[in-house]
Amino acid sequence: MSQKSKARHAQREAQQERQAKKVIAWIFAALVALAVVFLIVAMMS
């Protein structure tokens, strides 16, 4: 692989890792929000 190709590959991997961390953060936030909603509904009934 040429140097340019290696650099592009490394940059792409870093971008994918950042996107994966964002997705994990969003999933975690959604689970927390659902848990809060569940607690509120459980307390009302």
Side-chain angles (χ1 to χ4, degrees):
M1 266 201 261
S2 68
Q3 292 295 74
K4 201 185 267 189
S5 181
K6 285 180 184 177
R8 222 180 292 134
H9 184 70
Q11 188 177 17
R12 175 98 172 124
E13 274 188 22
Q15 181 184 7
Q16 284 180 334
E17 189 175 335
R18 286 192 303 271
Q19 279 183 320
K21 285 181 181 180
K22 280 184 186 177
V23 169
I24 291 169
W26 275 105
I27 291 171
F28 183 72
L31 287 174
V32 169
L34 286 172
V36 170
V37 169
F38 177 77
L39 286 174
I40 291 170
V41 170
M43 287 171 56
M44 287 181 159
S45 55

mmCIF file of all heavy atoms in Angstrom:
data_model
loop_
_atom_site.group_PDB
_atom_site.id
_atom_site.type_symbol
_atom_site.label_atom_id
_atom_site.label_comp_id
_atom_site.label_asym_id
_atom_site.label_seq_id
_atom_site.Cartn_x
_atom_site.Cartn_y
_atom_site.Cartn_z
ATOM 1 N N MET A 1 0.841 -1.189 0.000
ATOM 2 C CA MET A 1 0.000 0.000 0.000
ATOM 3 C C MET A 1 0.874 1.235 0.000
ATOM 4 O O MET A 1 1.905 1.281 0.654
ATOM 5 C CB MET A 1 -0.864 0.025 1.258
ATOM 6 C CG MET A 1 -2.230 -0.577 1.088
ATOM 7 S SD MET A 1 -3.373 0.000 2.325
ATOM 8 C CE MET A 1 -3.330 -1.363 3.462
ATOM 9 N N SER A 2 0.428 2.225 -0.700
ATOM 10 C CA SER A 2 1.177 3.469 -0.702
ATOM 11 C C SER A 2 0.931 4.225 0.600
ATOM 12 O O SER A 2 -0.007 3.927 1.342
ATOM 13 C CB SER A 2 0.741 4.333 -1.891
ATOM 14 O OG SER A 2 -0.579 4.783 -1.702
ATOM 15 N N GLN A 3 1.763 5.195 0.855
ATOM 16 C CA GLN A 3 1.631 5.990 2.077
ATOM 17 C C GLN A 3 0.286 6.717 2.116
ATOM 18 O O GLN A 3 -0.340 6.805 3.159
ATOM 19 C CB GLN A 3 2.781 6.996 2.170
ATOM 20 C CG GLN A 3 4.134 6.351 2.393
ATOM 21 C CD GLN A 3 4.213 5.654 3.732
ATOM 22 O OE1 GLN A 3 3.640 4.586 3.930
ATOM 23 N NE2 GLN A 3 4.927 6.252 4.648
ATOM 24 N N LYS A 4 -0.125 7.237 0.956
ATOM 25 C CA LYS A 4 -1.393 7.966 0.883
ATOM 26 C C LYS A 4 -2.554 7.041 1.235
ATOM 27 O O LYS A 4 -3.465 7.412 1.978
ATOM 28 C CB LYS A 4 -1.581 8.540 -0.523
ATOM 29 C CG LYS A 4 -2.563 9.694 -0.601
ATOM 30 C CD LYS A 4 -2.798 10.124 -2.039
ATOM 31 C CE LYS A 4 -1.861 11.238 -2.426
ATOM 32 N NZ LYS A 4 -2.200 11.810 -3.739
ATOM 33 N N SER A 5 -2.492 5.831 0.717
ATOM 34 C CA SER A 5 -3.547 4.848 0.969
ATOM 35 C C SER A 5 -3.570 4.442 2.445
ATOM 36 O O SER A 5 -4.644 4.299 3.033
ATOM 37 C CB SER A 5 -3.334 3.627 0.088
ATOM 38 O OG SER A 5 -4.336 2.681 0.301
ATOM 39 N N LYS A 6 -2.399 4.270 3.040
ATOM 40 C CA LYS A 6 -2.325 3.920 4.460
ATOM 41 C C LYS A 6 -2.895 5.033 5.320
ATOM 42 O O LYS A 6 -3.624 4.776 6.284
ATOM 43 C CB LYS A 6 -0.882 3.645 4.860
ATOM 44 C CG LYS A 6 -0.355 2.321 4.379
ATOM 45 C CD LYS A 6 1.072 2.116 4.822
ATOM 46 C CE LYS A 6 1.637 0.832 4.257
ATOM 47 N NZ LYS A 6 3.054 0.661 4.634
ATOM 48 N N ALA A 7 -2.581 6.270 4.977
ATOM 49 C CA ALA A 7 -3.079 7.411 5.744
ATOM 50 C C ALA A 7 -4.605 7.497 5.634
ATOM 51 O O ALA A 7 -5.297 7.728 6.623
ATOM 52 C CB ALA A 7 -2.446 8.705 5.253
ATOM 53 N N ARG A 8 -5.111 7.293 4.413
ATOM 54 C CA ARG A 8 -6.561 7.328 4.201
ATOM 55 C C ARG A 8 -7.253 6.219 4.992
ATOM 56 O O ARG A 8 -8.309 6.429 5.594
ATOM 57 C CB ARG A 8 -6.868 7.198 2.712
ATOM 58 C CG ARG A 8 -7.960 8.142 2.262
ATOM 59 C CD ARG A 8 -8.263 8.018 0.781
ATOM 60 N NE ARG A 8 -7.160 8.490 -0.047
ATOM 61 C CZ ARG A 8 -6.671 7.847 -1.093
ATOM 62 N NH1 ARG A 8 -7.184 6.703 -1.481
ATOM 63 N NH2 ARG A 8 -5.655 8.347 -1.783
ATOM 64 N N HIS A 9 -6.638 5.049 4.999
ATOM 65 C CA HIS A 9 -7.190 3.907 5.726
ATOM 66 C C HIS A 9 -7.234 4.202 7.231
ATOM 67 O O HIS A 9 -8.244 3.922 7.900
ATOM 68 C CB HIS A 9 -6.357 2.662 5.438
ATOM 69 C CG HIS A 9 -6.896 1.420 6.051
ATOM 70 N ND1 HIS A 9 -8.053 0.811 5.629
ATOM 71 C CD2 HIS A 9 -6.442 0.668 7.077
ATOM 72 C CE1 HIS A 9 -8.286 -0.253 6.360
ATOM 73 N NE2 HIS A 9 -7.313 -0.363 7.246
ATOM 74 N N ALA A 10 -6.176 4.754 7.763
ATOM 75 C CA ALA A 10 -6.120 5.079 9.190
ATOM 76 C C ALA A 10 -7.153 6.151 9.530
ATOM 77 O O ALA A 10 -7.818 6.077 10.576
ATOM 78 C CB ALA A 10 -4.723 5.557 9.566
ATOM 79 N N GLN A 11 -7.291 7.130 8.653
ATOM 80 C CA GLN A 11 -8.259 8.194 8.889
ATOM 81 C C GLN A 11 -9.681 7.626 8.883
ATOM 82 O O GLN A 11 -10.504 7.990 9.717
ATOM 83 C CB GLN A 11 -8.109 9.272 7.813
ATOM 84 C CG GLN A 11 -8.917 10.514 8.067
ATOM 85 C CD GLN A 11 -8.668 11.571 6.996
ATOM 86 O OE1 GLN A 11 -8.145 11.281 5.928
ATOM 87 N NE2 GLN A 11 -9.060 12.799 7.271
ATOM 88 N N ARG A 12 -9.946 6.726 7.961
ATOM 89 C CA ARG A 12 -11.276 6.100 7.865
ATOM 90 C C ARG A 12 -11.571 5.278 9.119
ATOM 91 O O ARG A 12 -12.679 5.330 9.654
ATOM 92 C CB ARG A 12 -11.317 5.208 6.623
ATOM 93 C CG ARG A 12 -12.585 4.418 6.473
ATOM 94 C CD ARG A 12 -13.536 5.091 5.528
ATOM 95 N NE ARG A 12 -14.662 4.229 5.253
ATOM 96 C CZ ARG A 12 -15.918 4.584 5.461
ATOM 97 N NH1 ARG A 12 -16.192 5.797 5.890
ATOM 98 N NH2 ARG A 12 -16.884 3.769 5.212
ATOM 99 N N GLU A 13 -10.583 4.537 9.590
ATOM 100 C CA GLU A 13 -10.766 3.750 10.814
ATOM 101 C C GLU A 13 -11.066 4.643 12.000
ATOM 102 O O GLU A 13 -11.940 4.329 12.812
ATOM 103 C CB GLU A 13 -9.516 2.924 11.101
ATOM 104 C CG GLU A 13 -9.493 1.602 10.393
ATOM 105 C CD GLU A 13 -8.330 0.733 10.855
ATOM 106 O OE1 GLU A 13 -7.810 0.944 11.965
ATOM 107 O OE2 GLU A 13 -7.946 -0.167 10.087
ATOM 108 N N ALA A 14 -10.358 5.759 12.119
ATOM 109 C CA ALA A 14 -10.590 6.687 13.220
ATOM 110 C C ALA A 14 -12.002 7.266 13.141
ATOM 111 O O ALA A 14 -12.693 7.402 14.159
ATOM 112 C CB ALA A 14 -9.553 7.806 13.194
ATOM 113 N N GLN A 15 -12.446 7.601 11.942
ATOM 114 C CA GLN A 15 -13.792 8.155 11.769
ATOM 115 C C GLN A 15 -14.847 7.118 12.159
ATOM 116 O O GLN A 15 -15.826 7.452 12.833
ATOM 117 C CB GLN A 15 -13.990 8.594 10.322
ATOM 118 C CG GLN A 15 -15.357 9.215 10.060
ATOM 119 C CD GLN A 15 -15.564 9.565 8.598
ATOM 120 O OE1 GLN A 15 -14.733 9.232 7.756
ATOM 121 N NE2 GLN A 15 -16.656 10.212 8.292
ATOM 122 N N GLN A 16 -14.650 5.877 11.760
ATOM 123 C CA GLN A 16 -15.602 4.822 12.102
ATOM 124 C C GLN A 16 -15.649 4.602 13.611
ATOM 125 O O GLN A 16 -16.717 4.366 14.176
ATOM 126 C CB GLN A 16 -15.239 3.526 11.390
ATOM 127 C CG GLN A 16 -15.605 3.532 9.923
ATOM 128 C CD GLN A 16 -15.243 2.228 9.231
ATOM 129 O OE1 GLN A 16 -14.333 1.528 9.660
ATOM 130 N NE2 GLN A 16 -15.942 1.936 8.154
ATOM 131 N N GLU A 17 -14.502 4.710 14.261
ATOM 132 C CA GLU A 17 -14.464 4.537 15.710
ATOM 133 C C GLU A 17 -15.234 5.658 16.406
ATOM 134 O O GLU A 17 -15.995 5.409 17.350
ATOM 135 C CB GLU A 17 -13.016 4.508 16.191
ATOM 136 C CG GLU A 17 -12.877 4.112 17.641
ATOM 137 C CD GLU A 17 -11.437 3.960 18.072
ATOM 138 O OE1 GLU A 17 -10.577 3.690 17.204
ATOM 139 O OE2 GLU A 17 -11.173 4.100 19.273
ATOM 140 N N ARG A 18 -15.060 6.892 15.916
ATOM 141 C CA ARG A 18 -15.808 8.018 16.491
ATOM 142 C C ARG A 18 -17.308 7.822 16.296
ATOM 143 O O ARG A 18 -18.101 8.081 17.208
ATOM 144 C CB ARG A 18 -15.366 9.340 15.866
ATOM 145 C CG ARG A 18 -13.994 9.824 16.338
ATOM 146 C CD ARG A 18 -13.724 11.255 15.920
ATOM 147 N NE ARG A 18 -13.809 11.458 14.478
ATOM 148 C CZ ARG A 18 -12.790 11.320 13.627
ATOM 149 N NH1 ARG A 18 -11.610 10.969 14.080
ATOM 150 N NH2 ARG A 18 -12.948 11.540 12.346
ATOM 151 N N GLN A 19 -17.714 7.375 15.121
ATOM 152 C CA GLN A 19 -19.135 7.140 14.854
ATOM 153 C C GLN A 19 -19.671 6.037 15.759
ATOM 154 O O GLN A 19 -20.788 6.159 16.276
ATOM 155 C CB GLN A 19 -19.346 6.735 13.392
ATOM 156 C CG GLN A 19 -19.376 7.909 12.437
ATOM 157 C CD GLN A 19 -19.673 7.460 11.017
ATOM 158 O OE1 GLN A 19 -19.187 6.432 10.564
ATOM 159 N NE2 GLN A 19 -20.452 8.254 10.297
ATOM 160 N N ALA A 20 -18.909 4.998 15.970
ATOM 161 C CA ALA A 20 -19.347 3.902 16.832
ATOM 162 C C ALA A 20 -19.550 4.391 18.260
ATOM 163 O O ALA A 20 -20.523 4.016 18.920
ATOM 164 C CB ALA A 20 -18.331 2.770 16.799
ATOM 165 N N LYS A 21 -18.653 5.246 18.737
ATOM 166 C CA LYS A 21 -18.800 5.788 20.090
ATOM 167 C C LYS A 21 -20.049 6.652 20.202
ATOM 168 O O LYS A 21 -20.745 6.614 21.218
ATOM 169 C CB LYS A 21 -17.553 6.590 20.469
ATOM 170 C CG LYS A 21 -16.371 5.705 20.787
ATOM 171 C CD LYS A 21 -15.157 6.501 21.192
ATOM 172 C CE LYS A 21 -13.991 5.585 21.476
ATOM 173 N NZ LYS A 21 -12.782 6.303 21.876
ATOM 174 N N LYS A 22 -20.351 7.416 19.142
ATOM 175 C CA LYS A 22 -21.569 8.229 19.146
ATOM 176 C C LYS A 22 -22.809 7.348 19.206
ATOM 177 O O LYS A 22 -23.750 7.627 19.948
ATOM 178 C CB LYS A 22 -21.649 9.105 17.890
ATOM 179 C CG LYS A 22 -20.819 10.352 17.941
ATOM 180 C CD LYS A 22 -21.069 11.178 16.689
ATOM 181 C CE LYS A 22 -20.151 12.361 16.608
ATOM 182 N NZ LYS A 22 -20.346 13.125 15.364
ATOM 183 N N VAL A 23 -22.809 6.285 18.418
ATOM 184 C CA VAL A 23 -23.955 5.368 18.400
ATOM 185 C C VAL A 23 -24.149 4.734 19.773
ATOM 186 O O VAL A 23 -25.275 4.660 20.277
ATOM 187 C CB VAL A 23 -23.771 4.289 17.312
ATOM 188 C CG1 VAL A 23 -24.807 3.180 17.448
ATOM 189 C CG2 VAL A 23 -23.845 4.914 15.930
ATOM 190 N N ILE A 24 -23.061 4.302 20.394
ATOM 191 C CA ILE A 24 -23.150 3.696 21.722
ATOM 192 C C ILE A 24 -23.692 4.703 22.728
ATOM 193 O O ILE A 24 -24.538 4.371 23.561
ATOM 194 C CB ILE A 24 -21.775 3.138 22.160
ATOM 195 C CG1 ILE A 24 -21.424 1.927 21.300
ATOM 196 C CG2 ILE A 24 -21.771 2.765 23.640
ATOM 197 C CD1 ILE A 24 -20.003 1.452 21.433
ATOM 198 N N ALA A 25 -23.243 5.951 22.639
ATOM 199 C CA ALA A 25 -23.733 6.988 23.550
ATOM 200 C C ALA A 25 -25.230 7.219 23.355
ATOM 201 O O ALA A 25 -25.982 7.362 24.328
ATOM 202 C CB ALA A 25 -22.959 8.284 23.336
ATOM 203 N N TRP A 26 -25.690 7.266 22.108
ATOM 204 C CA TRP A 26 -27.117 7.456 21.827
ATOM 205 C C TRP A 26 -27.935 6.281 22.346
ATOM 206 O O TRP A 26 -29.022 6.469 22.916
ATOM 207 C CB TRP A 26 -27.361 7.649 20.332
ATOM 208 C CG TRP A 26 -27.185 9.078 19.913
ATOM 209 C CD1 TRP A 26 -26.133 9.607 19.235
ATOM 210 C CD2 TRP A 26 -28.087 10.168 20.157
ATOM 211 N NE1 TRP A 26 -26.332 10.952 19.037
ATOM 212 C CE2 TRP A 26 -27.514 11.322 19.596
ATOM 213 C CE3 TRP A 26 -29.313 10.265 20.803
ATOM 214 C CZ2 TRP A 26 -28.140 12.565 19.667
ATOM 215 C CZ3 TRP A 26 -29.938 11.505 20.869
ATOM 216 C CH2 TRP A 26 -29.348 12.633 20.308
ATOM 217 N N ILE A 27 -27.453 5.071 22.159
ATOM 218 C CA ILE A 27 -28.175 3.895 22.651
ATOM 219 C C ILE A 27 -28.271 3.942 24.171
ATOM 220 O O ILE A 27 -29.333 3.689 24.756
ATOM 221 C CB ILE A 27 -27.498 2.590 22.170
ATOM 222 C CG1 ILE A 27 -27.683 2.441 20.661
ATOM 223 C CG2 ILE A 27 -28.044 1.376 22.918
ATOM 224 C CD1 ILE A 27 -26.875 1.314 20.051
ATOM 225 N N PHE A 28 -27.186 4.281 24.828
ATOM 226 C CA PHE A 28 -27.182 4.374 26.287
ATOM 227 C C PHE A 28 -28.160 5.444 26.762
ATOM 228 O O PHE A 28 -28.928 5.219 27.706
ATOM 229 C CB PHE A 28 -25.762 4.685 26.786
ATOM 230 C CG PHE A 28 -25.650 4.723 28.273
ATOM 231 C CD1 PHE A 28 -25.716 3.546 29.014
ATOM 232 C CD2 PHE A 28 -25.473 5.929 28.939
ATOM 233 C CE1 PHE A 28 -25.620 3.577 30.395
ATOM 234 C CE2 PHE A 28 -25.381 5.962 30.323
ATOM 235 C CZ PHE A 28 -25.446 4.790 31.049
ATOM 236 N N ALA A 29 -28.175 6.601 26.099
ATOM 237 C CA ALA A 29 -29.094 7.672 26.472
ATOM 238 C C ALA A 29 -30.544 7.236 26.275
ATOM 239 O O ALA A 29 -31.407 7.532 27.112
ATOM 240 C CB ALA A 29 -28.800 8.925 25.647
ATOM 241 N N ALA A 30 -30.819 6.525 25.203
ATOM 242 C CA ALA A 30 -32.177 6.036 24.954
ATOM 243 C C ALA A 30 -32.596 5.039 26.036
ATOM 244 O O ALA A 30 -33.743 5.085 26.511
ATOM 245 C CB ALA A 30 -32.261 5.406 23.575
ATOM 246 N N LEU A 31 -31.696 4.166 26.440
ATOM 247 C CA LEU A 31 -32.017 3.204 27.496
ATOM 248 C C LEU A 31 -32.291 3.910 28.818
ATOM 249 O O LEU A 31 -33.216 3.539 29.542
ATOM 250 C CB LEU A 31 -30.874 2.194 27.663
ATOM 251 C CG LEU A 31 -30.754 1.154 26.556
ATOM 252 C CD1 LEU A 31 -29.494 0.315 26.771
ATOM 253 C CD2 LEU A 31 -31.974 0.263 26.506
ATOM 254 N N VAL A 32 -31.521 4.927 29.138
ATOM 255 C CA VAL A 32 -31.746 5.693 30.371
ATOM 256 C C VAL A 32 -33.099 6.387 30.312
ATOM 257 O O VAL A 32 -33.873 6.363 31.277
ATOM 258 C CB VAL A 32 -30.604 6.702 30.609
ATOM 259 C CG1 VAL A 32 -30.952 7.669 31.720
ATOM 260 C CG2 VAL A 32 -29.307 5.959 30.923
ATOM 261 N N ALA A 33 -33.422 6.999 29.167
ATOM 262 C CA ALA A 33 -34.706 7.682 29.012
ATOM 263 C C ALA A 33 -35.860 6.690 29.150
ATOM 264 O O ALA A 33 -36.861 6.984 29.823
ATOM 265 C CB ALA A 33 -34.765 8.390 27.661
ATOM 266 N N LEU A 34 -35.735 5.524 28.541
ATOM 267 C CA LEU A 34 -36.787 4.506 28.674
ATOM 268 C C LEU A 34 -36.937 4.041 30.121
ATOM 269 O O LEU A 34 -38.054 3.794 30.585
ATOM 270 C CB LEU A 34 -36.495 3.327 27.757
ATOM 271 C CG LEU A 34 -36.730 3.573 26.272
ATOM 272 C CD1 LEU A 34 -36.217 2.389 25.456
ATOM 273 C CD2 LEU A 34 -38.199 3.812 25.986
ATOM 274 N N ALA A 35 -35.845 3.920 30.819
ATOM 275 C CA ALA A 35 -35.900 3.512 32.224
ATOM 276 C C ALA A 35 -36.641 4.557 33.053
ATOM 277 O O ALA A 35 -37.454 4.225 33.917
ATOM 278 C CB ALA A 35 -34.491 3.299 32.772
ATOM 279 N N VAL A 36 -36.378 5.834 32.788
ATOM 280 C CA VAL A 36 -37.061 6.912 33.509
ATOM 281 C C VAL A 36 -38.558 6.871 33.216
ATOM 282 O O VAL A 36 -39.386 6.975 34.128
ATOM 283 C CB VAL A 36 -36.446 8.284 33.148
ATOM 284 C CG1 VAL A 36 -37.294 9.421 33.685
ATOM 285 C CG2 VAL A 36 -35.023 8.372 33.679
ATOM 286 N N VAL A 37 -38.917 6.719 31.949
ATOM 287 C CA VAL A 37 -40.331 6.627 31.574
ATOM 288 C C VAL A 37 -40.974 5.434 32.269
ATOM 289 O O VAL A 37 -42.088 5.532 32.802
ATOM 290 C CB VAL A 37 -40.488 6.540 30.035
ATOM 291 C CG1 VAL A 37 -41.904 6.171 29.656
ATOM 292 C CG2 VAL A 37 -40.076 7.843 29.395
ATOM 293 N N PHE A 38 -40.301 4.304 32.273
ATOM 294 C CA PHE A 38 -40.832 3.111 32.917
ATOM 295 C C PHE A 38 -41.058 3.369 34.407
ATOM 296 O O PHE A 38 -42.089 2.981 34.966
ATOM 297 C CB PHE A 38 -39.878 1.931 32.725
ATOM 298 C CG PHE A 38 -40.332 0.685 33.418
ATOM 299 C CD1 PHE A 38 -41.350 -0.087 32.868
ATOM 300 C CD2 PHE A 38 -39.753 0.288 34.607
ATOM 301 C CE1 PHE A 38 -41.785 -1.232 33.522
ATOM 302 C CE2 PHE A 38 -40.178 -0.853 35.258
ATOM 303 C CZ PHE A 38 -41.192 -1.626 34.720
ATOM 304 N N LEU A 39 -40.109 4.025 35.068
ATOM 305 C CA LEU A 39 -40.272 4.316 36.506
ATOM 306 C C LEU A 39 -41.456 5.229 36.739
ATOM 307 O O LEU A 39 -42.231 5.036 37.689
ATOM 308 C CB LEU A 39 -38.994 4.945 37.059
ATOM 309 C CG LEU A 39 -37.818 3.995 37.249
ATOM 310 C CD1 LEU A 39 -36.570 4.769 37.659
ATOM 311 C CD2 LEU A 39 -38.162 2.959 38.314
ATOM 312 N N ILE A 40 -41.634 6.232 35.916
ATOM 313 C CA ILE A 40 -42.752 7.153 36.079
ATOM 314 C C ILE A 40 -44.080 6.419 35.907
ATOM 315 O O ILE A 40 -45.001 6.579 36.705
ATOM 316 C CB ILE A 40 -42.640 8.342 35.074
ATOM 317 C CG1 ILE A 40 -41.447 9.219 35.478
ATOM 318 C CG2 ILE A 40 -43.919 9.142 35.032
ATOM 319 C CD1 ILE A 40 -41.092 10.266 34.438
ATOM 320 N N VAL A 41 -44.168 5.588 34.858
ATOM 321 C CA VAL A 41 -45.403 4.821 34.617
ATOM 322 C C VAL A 41 -45.652 3.854 35.766
ATOM 323 O O VAL A 41 -46.795 3.699 36.223
ATOM 324 C CB VAL A 41 -45.315 4.086 33.271
ATOM 325 C CG1 VAL A 41 -46.446 3.097 33.106
ATOM 326 C CG2 VAL A 41 -45.308 5.088 32.136
ATOM 327 N N ALA A 42 -44.627 3.210 36.270
ATOM 328 C CA ALA A 42 -44.783 2.250 37.363
ATOM 329 C C ALA A 42 -45.241 2.943 38.643
ATOM 330 O O ALA A 42 -46.023 2.384 39.401
ATOM 331 C CB ALA A 42 -43.468 1.512 37.583
ATOM 332 N N MET A 43 -44.774 4.149 38.882
ATOM 333 C CA MET A 43 -45.163 4.875 40.090
ATOM 334 C C MET A 43 -46.599 5.372 40.010
ATOM 335 O O MET A 43 -47.256 5.529 41.024
ATOM 336 C CB MET A 43 -44.199 6.040 40.329
ATOM 337 C CG MET A 43 -42.825 5.591 40.808
ATOM 338 S SD MET A 43 -41.599 6.888 40.843
ATOM 339 C CE MET A 43 -42.364 8.096 41.880
ATOM 340 N N MET A 44 -47.097 5.633 38.806
ATOM 341 C CA MET A 44 -48.449 6.150 38.645
ATOM 342 C C MET A 44 -49.508 5.057 38.830
ATOM 343 O O MET A 44 -50.636 5.367 39.196
ATOM 344 C CB MET A 44 -48.617 6.785 37.270
ATOM 345 C CG MET A 44 -47.924 8.089 37.121
ATOM 346 S SD MET A 44 -48.214 8.765 35.489
ATOM 347 C CE MET A 44 -47.871 10.474 35.773
ATOM 348 N N SER A 45 -49.146 3.829 38.560
ATOM 349 C CA SER A 45 -50.178 2.779 38.625
ATOM 350 C C SER A 45 -50.175 2.053 39.951
ATOM 351 O O SER A 45 -49.474 2.284 40.843
ATOM 352 C CB SER A 45 -49.967 1.769 37.520
ATOM 353 O OG SER A 45 -48.674 1.230 37.559
#
